Amino acid sequence: MTRLRTARLKSGITQKELASLLNINQSLVSKVESCERRLDIIEFLNWCKVLGVPWDKVIPKKYSMGENTKHE
């Protein structure tokens, strides 16, 4: 989740401020940013919305559909 952390830092938002905007505890923000906890899709989309970053800019290109991936 370093991309979300990078987006947060570029926005000038502290972990505490982000937690307040998302109505969660600051410790959860810390755990997500240090990869101790994963986000579900709804949480992920909310973080992107609050940070003002498109979700497809946060997910690495190698995980995008149709780009060097095999689908069975």
Side-chain angles (χ1 to χ4, degrees):
M1 290 291 132
T2 27
R3 291 174 186 242
L4 286 176
R5 181 178 184 271
T6 300
R8 177 182 62 77
L9 293 172
K10 283 184 180 179
S11 298
I13 297 173
T14 66
Q15 284 187 350
K16 187 174 181 178
E17 291 167 333
L18 178 59
S20 178
L21 292 168
L22 292 168
N23 198 30
I24 61 174
N25 292 323
Q26 180 273 327
S27 63
L28 178 58
V29 175
S30 177
K31 287 178 182 179
V32 169
E33 289 186 351
S34 64
C35 298
E36 291 180 46
R37 185 192 182 278
R38 294 180 182 184
L39 295 174
D40 67 31
I41 189 66
I42 301 302
E43 291 171 323
F44 171 74
L45 293 173
N46 284 336
W47 280 48
C48 290
K49 182 179 178 181
V50 166
L51 293 172
V53 61
W55 66 266
D56 59 340
K57 299 296 180 193
V58 177
I59 298 175
K61 293 272 188 212
K62 67 181 179 180
Y63 297 112
S64 298
M65 295 290 286
E67 291 194 29
N68 299 324
T69 57
K70 292 182 181 179
H71 302 285
E72 299 182 28

